[in-house]
């Protein structure tokens, strides 16, 4: 059983020189094991005990480690180094109670001998080690007491602190663990001594932690250490604050902590830091957001300002006056043109001021009317303002619009003025233009009416002309009847007399009657031709189309002029070209044309031949009937003229040839009706060829 | 010139309002061996035709009272005179009158002026055409 050690009174004066020597050695030494060696060696020399050993508590584990020993085997050392709570509870008791103790055999740490256990450490602080000496009794040798007093603090200073073995114990630790913020005690370099649960998560990786988590905690430790190191180099002392960005090893998200570090001095005099980390991540974000909002606010403000400037410029650029009033009618803002009408200037003259007051009064009255009118969002009115500079009247139209707030409350009134001088002038001009146009319209109507009247007149005239033409035709038809009726009698009686119906005639009577007969026939011919022209011109000679053959037609024509041929010395022949087909045309008219041409040929030919020839031109489906004579011929200058009405080559009163001069004119008109024409080839003195060309198949006009 | 008693002289009714022409034709027809009756308008022509039943009628178309077309139409619509040939005479040489005349029932058409010998020739031609059909 161990018993407390009583300090024996000093029996002899201490060996001061030896103690000084040891103290010097210890001061020169800063390595615990070395110091322990020297202490053990010194004690062994001074007191001559059988066994001396110096043990130290290992930081962290609390295991006793033999720093130095004399008189002990390796096995004896090892036996001492067992954990105090397991094999050597007696030593643990010494460590806990921090008082020297004697262990008598057999229950002794040193097998077979009495043992003194002297705790080592700072006064009032935890024990860091033990001195073990073999001793016969519980009396503590003075040198041992001295060594323990001086070597204890030294050893405590040299030995690394035991973080886990920290005064305050488990309760304090649990208390710390409940703190939501990470709390840790570190040395100045940031090596942790005590960490609470939250700090452990951030800075310590367990042995079974994942690779990612380990790296995160390492990174955090580095950052944290760097932050603390900067503290050390920075402010000298006191509470220090700093923001440290760390990584949440579990979530992998960035966190921002405010580190508040407070230096504490350990009992052994070492400076440590208690750091409390406050998670300001959200705060940081909030701050950031706040900054962003502020920037935006500034930007918006700038924008608003520039918008305002822009608006000002826009308003000023509007030539019409614009006024912004507050809900009570006070002017808030006005553009340049409005200023000219409503704003007083220091240098305004008396007259100008009077006019400005008048304008303002007019405007106030206008606004008052508007506000009195109530709910209408717009108000329109006519204001008669005065130009302050000249005094000229300005007829204005004012349009006021209410500016409503978000909740519909009236926040202002914008009034826009529009100078109506121009509009009035325009209206006046428009009025004049309208008057002019009405006048013009009246004139147009009059002109139109006149035109219509003239049209009507023309129409009536056309009818009259038509009627006159019809009357002329009718007249000519009647006249021809009236001509013919007596002529019929003249020719008839002449014919009868010549036939001797009234008895035999003398040769002279017969000759004279023959002359009456011949002149009567000529007159009839003239009347017939005039009648033909009239009928053609009146459109009263229709086409009578039919199929007929040309040989028969030519025979008929020649037969009709047979009496004339018989009286002449001419050879008259008819020729038919190859493959002349039957034609479809107006037989009567073809016959009349050919007869006329043949009559002319006989009339103007004194000797030689007259040939009537019909041919067919397949390429153009045209039939030609030509009459060729060996007569007097026609000079080129007259070749066109002879087809005109009443024209003969010789139109003198003493001309050699009779006839109306209508024959070729009629031929030309009839040929046109058939869709054809009459052509002439002639050499004066040698003869002429008149040719009728007409389509084999006539088309109804 | 005439061959009396062997064949009776045909009776020609000459209808014309113009006296000179009517008498001229009548004289020449008698001279040429015909009996001649005269009428100076359409009504008279109808009366004489129904009364005398001529062998042929020379009908001027432009007539007072009843014109030649109407007279011809009535003659051709009456059983008593239906078969009597009518030769139309006109001074109007306008185209279409011949068609109109034939439409009214005229058997031939002669345009004035027509010489007496030409007219007689036409009368003989028409009578020859109707020779076998004569009901006298």
């Amino acid at each position: 059983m161990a018993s407390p050690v009583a300090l024996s009174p000093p029996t002899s004066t201490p060996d001061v020189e030896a103690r000084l020597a040891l103290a010097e050695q210890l001061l020169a030494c800063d390595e615990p094991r070395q110091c322990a060696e020297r202490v053990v060696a010194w004690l062994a020399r001074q007191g001559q005990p059988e066994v001396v050993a110096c043990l130290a508590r290992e930081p962290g584990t609390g295991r006793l480690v033999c720093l130095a020993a004399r008189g002990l085997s390796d096995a004896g050392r090892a036996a001492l180094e067992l954990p105090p709570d397991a094999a050597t509870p007696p030593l643990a008791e010494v460590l806990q109670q921090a008082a020297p103790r004697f262990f008598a055999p057999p229950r002794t740490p040193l097998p077979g001998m009495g043992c003194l256990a002297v705790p080592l450490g700072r006064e009032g602080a935890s024990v860091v080690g033990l001195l073990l000496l073999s001793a016969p009794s519980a009396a503590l040798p003075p040198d041992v007491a001295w060594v323990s007093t001086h070597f204890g603090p030294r050893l405590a200073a040299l030995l690394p602190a035991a973080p886990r073995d920290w005064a305050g114990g488990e309760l304090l630790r649990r208390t710390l663990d409940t703190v939501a913020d990470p709390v840790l005690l570190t040395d100045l370099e940031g090596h942790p001594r005590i960490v609470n649960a939250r700090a452990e998560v951030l800075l310590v990786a367990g042995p079974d932690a994942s690779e990612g988590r380990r790296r995160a905690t390492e990174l955090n430790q580095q950052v944290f250490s760097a932050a603390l190191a900067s503290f050390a180099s920075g402010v000298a002392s006191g509470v220090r604050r700093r923001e440290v960005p760390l990584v949440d090893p579990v979530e992998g998200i960035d966190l921002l902590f405010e580190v508040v570090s407070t230096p504490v001095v350990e009992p052994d005099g070492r400076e440590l830091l208690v750091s409390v980390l406050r998670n300001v991540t959200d705060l940081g974000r909030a701050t950031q957001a706040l900054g962003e909002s502020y920037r935006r606010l500034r930007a918006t403000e700038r924008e608003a300002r520039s918008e305002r400037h822009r608006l000002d410029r826009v308003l000023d650029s509007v030539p019409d006056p614009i006024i912004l009033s507050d809900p009570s009618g006070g002017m808030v803002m006005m553009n340049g043109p409005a200023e000219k009408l409503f704003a007083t200037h220091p240098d305004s003259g008396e007259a100008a001021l009077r006019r400005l007051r008048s304008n303002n009064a007019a405007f106030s009255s206008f606004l008052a009317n508007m506000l009195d009118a109530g709910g209408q969002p717009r108000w329109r009115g006519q204001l008669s303002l005065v130009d302050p500079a000249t005094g000229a009247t300005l007829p204005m139209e004012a349009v006021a619009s209410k500016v409503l707030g978000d909740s519909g409350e009236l926040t202002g009134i914008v009034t826009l003025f529009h100078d109506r001088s121009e509009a009035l002038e325009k209206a006046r001009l428009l009025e004049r233009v309208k008057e002019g146009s009405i006048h013009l319209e009246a004139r147009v109507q009059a002109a139109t009416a006149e035109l219509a009247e003239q049209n009507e007149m023309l129409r009536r005239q056309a009818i009259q002309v038509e009627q006159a033409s019809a009357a002329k035709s009718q007249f000519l038809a009647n006249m021809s009847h009236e001509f013919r009726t007596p002529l019929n009698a003249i020719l008839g009686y002449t014919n009868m007399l010549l036939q001797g119906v009234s008895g035999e005639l003398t040769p002279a009577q017969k000759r004279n009657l023959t002359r009456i007969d011949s002149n009567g026939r000529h007159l009839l011919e003239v009347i017939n031709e005039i009648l033909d022209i009239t009928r053609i011109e009146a459109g009263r000679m229709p086409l009578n189309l039919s199929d007929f053959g040309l040989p028969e037609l030519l025979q008929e024509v020649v037969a009709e002029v047979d009496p004339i041929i018989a009286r002449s010395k001419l050879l008259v022949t008819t020729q038919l070209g190859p493959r002349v087909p039957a034609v479809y045309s107006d037989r009567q008219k073809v016959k009349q044309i050919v007869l006329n041409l043949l009559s002319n040929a006989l009339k103007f030919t004194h000797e030689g031949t007259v040939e009537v020839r019909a041919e067919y031109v397949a390429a153009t489906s045209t039939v030609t009937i030509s009459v060729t004579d060996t007569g007097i011929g026609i000079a080129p200058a007259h070749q066109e003229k002879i087809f005109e009405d009443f024209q003969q080559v010789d139109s003198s009163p003493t001309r050699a040839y009779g006839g109306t001069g209508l024959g070729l004119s009629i031929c030309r008109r009839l040929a046109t009706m058939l869709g054809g024409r009459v052509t002439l080839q002639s050499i004066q003195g040698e003869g002429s060829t008149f040719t009728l060309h007409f389509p084999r198949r006539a088309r109804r006009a | 010139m005439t061959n009396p008693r062997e064949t009776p002289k045909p009776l020609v009714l000459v209808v014309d309002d113009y006296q000179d022409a009517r008498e001229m034709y009548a004289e020449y027809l008698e001279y040429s061996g015909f009996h001649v009756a005269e009428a100076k308008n359409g009504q008279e022509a109808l009366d004489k035709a129904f009364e005398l039943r001529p062998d042929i009628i020379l009908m001027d178309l432009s007539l007072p009272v009843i014109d030649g077309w109407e007279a011809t139409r009535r003659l051709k619509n009456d059983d008593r005179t239906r078969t009597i040939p009518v030769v139309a005479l006109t001074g109007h040489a306008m185209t279409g009158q011949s068609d109109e005349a034939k439409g009214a029932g005229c058997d031939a058409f002669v345009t004035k002026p027509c010489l007496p010998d030409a007219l007689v020739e036409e009368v003989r031609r028409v009578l020859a055409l109707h020779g076998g059909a004569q009901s006298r």
Side-chain angles (χ1 to χ4, degrees):
Chain A
M1 191 64 197
S3 56
V5 172
L7 279 172
S8 57
T11 52
S12 61
T13 53
D15 186 348
V16 177
E17 281 189 15
R19 288 186 182 179
L20 275 174
L22 178 61
E24 277 174 6
Q25 279 182 0
L26 289 179
L27 280 173
C29 175
D30 54 358
E31 213 280 311
R33 203 168 283 272
Q34 210 176 355
C35 289
E37 263 325 316
R38 292 195 177 145
V39 167
V40 168
W42 190 79
L43 282 175
R45 202 162 49 242
Q46 294 295 107
Q48 305 276 321
E50 211 170 319
V51 175
V52 182
C54 180
L55 302 171
R57 292 179 82 177
E58 200 179 53
T61 63
R63 198 162 68 96
L64 283 173
V65 176
C66 186
L67 294 177
R70 291 291 164 97
L72 263 182
S73 66
D74 284 350
R77 283 186 174 216
L80 290 175
E81 285 183 352
L82 286 170
D85 50 335
T88 54
L91 291 182
E93 235 175 73
V94 177
L95 288 170
Q96 272 178 6
Q97 291 170 1
R101 197 156 192 188
F102 177 74
F103 294 94
R107 291 182 56 108
T108 167
L110 299 177
M113 56 187 85
C115 177
L116 272 173
V118 182
L120 293 171
R122 282 199 190 85
E123 191 79 20
S126 62
V127 177
V128 297
L130 288 174
L131 276 177
L132 288 183
L133 296 108
S134 56
S137 66
L140 188 64
D143 282 340
V144 173
W146 180 82
V147 163
S148 74
T149 320
H150 291 88
F151 176 59
R154 180 67 186 153
L155 184 66
L158 289 176
L159 281 174
R164 289 261 168 200
D165 185 16
W166 189 66
E170 206 47 35
L171 182 63
L172 186 58
R173 187 178 168 72
R174 282 206 205 99
T175 308
L176 276 178
D177 280 347
T178 61
V179 177
D181 290 335
V183 177
L184 33 62
L185 176 72
T186 60
D187 58 20
L188 293 178
E189 286 77 41
H191 298 124
R193 292 287 168 81
I194 298 171
V195 290
N196 73 347
R198 182 71 188 123
E200 207 169 38
V201 169
L202 282 176
L203 297 172
V204 182
D208 53 350
S210 70
E211 181 61 21
R213 190 159 172 180
R214 198 188 308 281
R215 283 230 296 275
T217 53
E218 274 171 23
L219 187 67
N220 283 348
Q221 274 183 26
Q222 281 175 17
V223 172
F224 187 68
S225 300
L228 291 188
S230 74
F231 279 170
S233 64
V235 190
S237 63
V239 178
R240 301 156 205 193
R241 290 168 188 273
R242 158 154 287 219
E243 285 189 354
V244 181
L246 298 178
V247 179
D248 185 330
V250 181
E251 304 288 340
I253 56 173
D254 287 328
L255 298 172
L256 184 68
F257 288 93
E258 185 190 45
V259 179
V260 180
S261 298
T262 312
V264 292
V265 180
E266 271 204 293
D268 57 8
R270 282 193 293 179
E271 201 178 9
L272 296 175
L273 284 170
V274 174
S275 300
V276 177
L277 281 67
R278 217 145 50 82
N279 188 343
V280 292
T281 308
D282 293 340
L283 197 63
R285 283 191 194 136
T287 308
Q288 215 170 354
L290 203 62
E292 185 59 33
S293 304
Y294 180 66
R295 271 196 301 282
R296 249 187 251 141
L297 193 66
R298 289 295 300 273
T300 310
E301 196 194 13
R302 266 200 307 281
E303 252 172 49
R305 204 176 298 130
S306 79
E307 186 68 20
R308 170 68 192 267
H309 285 151
R310 209 152 61 89
L311 192 63
D312 282 351
R313 280 198 298 279
V314 168
L315 286 181
D316 280 341
S317 73
V318 175
D320 292 334
I322 297 173
I323 295 178
L324 175 62
S325 315
D326 60 28
S328 61
M331 285 190 190
V332 176
M333 200 178 83
M334 61 175 79
N335 68 349
E339 276 176 9
K340 281 185 198 153
L341 290 175
F342 296 101
T344 54
H345 297 283
D347 51 351
S348 299
E350 185 58 38
L353 280 175
R354 201 174 57 246
R355 291 164 189 153
L356 287 166
R357 275 197 298 276
S358 157
N359 286 349
N360 277 299
F363 178 57
S364 299
S365 157
F366 168 75
L367 278 188
N369 282 338
M370 180 203 192
L371 293 172
D372 286 349
Q376 286 170 303
R378 271 168 178 267
W379 184 258
R380 196 179 282 270
Q382 311 294 334
L383 293 184
S384 185
L385 300 182
V386 185
D387 186 336
T390 64
T393 305
L394 299 172
M396 287 278 184
E397 183 183 50
V399 179
S401 303
K402 287 181 180 173
V403 181
L404 299 180
D406 289 340
S407 50
E409 80 281 8
L410 181 64
T411 59
I413 302 162
V414 177
T415 308
L416 183 68
F417 294 87
H418 187 66
D419 191 340
R420 294 186 62 239
S421 311
E422 206 176 321
L424 289 175
E425 179 65 16
K426 273 184 188 167
R428 205 172 59 78
L429 285 174
L430 187 68
E431 201 53 43
R432 281 181 59 186
V433 168
K434 269 186 192 163
E435 272 172 35
S437 91
I438 289 168
H439 183 60
L440 198 64
E441 200 180 315
R443 283 178 59 182
V444 167
Q445 272 175 356
T448 309
E450 198 178 324
L451 208 61
E453 202 176 305
Q454 283 180 359
N455 269 345
E456 178 59 24
M457 209 164 76
L458 281 175
R459 202 177 61 80
R460 262 178 286 166
Q461 280 176 357
I463 292 170
Q464 281 171 5
V465 165
E466 207 173 294
Q467 286 171 346
S469 171
K472 186 186 83 176
S473 296
Q474 189 57 47
F475 169 75
L476 284 170
N478 290 344
M479 284 310 289
S480 88
H481 177 68
E482 296 304 321
F483 285 145
R484 283 173 199 235
T485 306
L487 203 52
N488 188 41
I490 291 168
L491 289 173
Y493 279 110
T494 307
N495 181 259
M496 280 166 65
L497 287 173
L498 283 172
Q499 283 187 44
V501 173
S502 307
E504 285 302 310
L505 299 172
T506 65
Q509 285 174 327
K510 198 160 191 170
R511 190 188 67 227
N512 292 349
L513 278 174
T514 304
R515 291 205 173 140
I516 294 173
D517 183 62
S518 123
N519 279 280
R521 284 174 194 272
H522 180 66
L523 182 58
L524 180 63
E525 193 184 319
V526 171
I527 291 168
N528 281 342
E529 285 180 347
I530 290 176
L531 185 64
D532 277 349
I533 291 276
T534 308
R535 283 155 66 197
I536 292 170
E537 284 189 343
R540 291 172 74 170
M541 189 180 272
L543 279 177
N544 291 307
L545 300 178
S546 61
D547 287 300
F548 59 93
L550 290 179
E552 300 79 10
L553 183 120
L554 294 189
Q555 278 171 21
E556 273 180 41
V557 170
V558 174
E560 288 214 13
V561 292
D562 215 29
I564 304 172
I565 296 169
R567 284 199 296 271
S568 70
K569 293 173 254 172
L570 300 171
L571 176 64
V572 178
T573 58
T574 57
Q575 300 279 334
L576 207 59
R579 290 183 296 282
V580 175
V583 299
Y584 177 76
S585 193
D586 188 320
R587 190 178 197 277
Q588 169 60 32
K589 293 181 176 58
V590 174
K591 183 178 169 185
Q592 191 176 343
I593 293 166
V594 178
L595 186 59
N596 194 288
L597 295 179
L598 182 55
S599 300
N600 278 345
L602 295 174
K603 186 156 61 173
F604 294 101
T605 306
H606 305 294
E607 54 186 5
T609 58
V610 174
E611 185 191 78
V612 182
R613 184 179 184 86
E615 300 214 54
Y616 177 61
V617 184
T620 54
S621 300
T622 303
V623 174
T624 63
I625 300 173
S626 57
V627 179
T628 306
D629 65 49
T630 55
I632 57 172
I634 300 158
H638 296 121
Q639 287 184 4
E640 278 297 313
K641 202 178 162 192
I642 56 166
F643 288 100
E644 292 172 15
D645 293 346
F646 304 107
Q647 290 291 338
Q648 285 186 323
V649 173
D650 179 3
S651 55
S652 67
T654 57
R655 64 192 188 196
Y657 303 96
T660 57
L662 283 172
L664 283 174
S665 173
I666 291 170
C667 286
R668 181 174 57 82
R669 288 167 199 244
L670 292 177
T672 303
M673 287 180 72
L674 298 176
R677 65 208 156 93
V678 178
T679 59
L680 164 65
Q681 285 178 314
S682 179
I683 298 172
Q684 199 166 12
E686 292 187 12
S688 307
T689 300
F690 285 87
T691 308
L692 164 66
H693 310 253
F694 66 100
R696 186 170 86 82
R697 297 195 65 79
R699 268 173 296 177
R700 195 163 289 278
Chain B
M1 216 25 121
T2 55
N3 243 338
R5 304 296 86 83
E6 286 199 5
T7 49
K9 287 181 181 178
L11 177 62
V12 180
L13 177 59
V14 178
V15 188
D16 198 323
D17 61 322
Y18 187 53
Q19 189 185 353
D20 287 3
R22 186 177 70 237
E23 288 180 355
M24 177 183 76
Y25 287 135
E27 185 182 345
Y28 192 75
L29 281 166
E30 281 175 351
Y31 168 76
S32 302
F34 291 91
H35 283 296
V36 177
E38 294 178 34
K40 55 181 182 294
N41 60 49
Q43 185 57 56
E44 211 176 294
L46 288 173
D47 294 345
K48 293 258 173 91
F50 293 138
E51 182 197 335
L52 303 173
R53 307 280 183 88
D55 295 285
I56 186 166
I57 300 172
L58 287 178
M59 180 79 80
D60 185 38
L61 292 175
S62 305
L63 293 173
V65 189
I66 297 176
D67 70 22
W69 292 284
E70 180 56 31
T72 305
R73 215 167 282 129
R74 292 193 192 175
L75 290 172
K76 290 295 177 183
N77 281 329
D78 194 301
D79 286 340
R80 294 170 289 174
T81 54
R82 190 189 306 280
T83 57
I84 302 173
V86 176
V87 176
L89 276 167
T90 180
H92 294 276
M94 291 292 188
T95 317
Q97 286 205 340
S98 59
D99 291 344
E100 205 180 331
K102 285 193 175 129
C106 296
D107 299 86
F109 185 87
V110 174
T111 304
K112 286 199 274 190
C114 180
L115 295 180
D117 51 354
L119 184 73
V120 168
E121 208 169 294
E122 182 67 13
V123 167
R124 286 199 172 116
R125 187 183 70 81
V126 173
L127 278 177
L129 279 175
H130 286 75
Q134 287 210 335
S135 56
R136 294 274 298 268

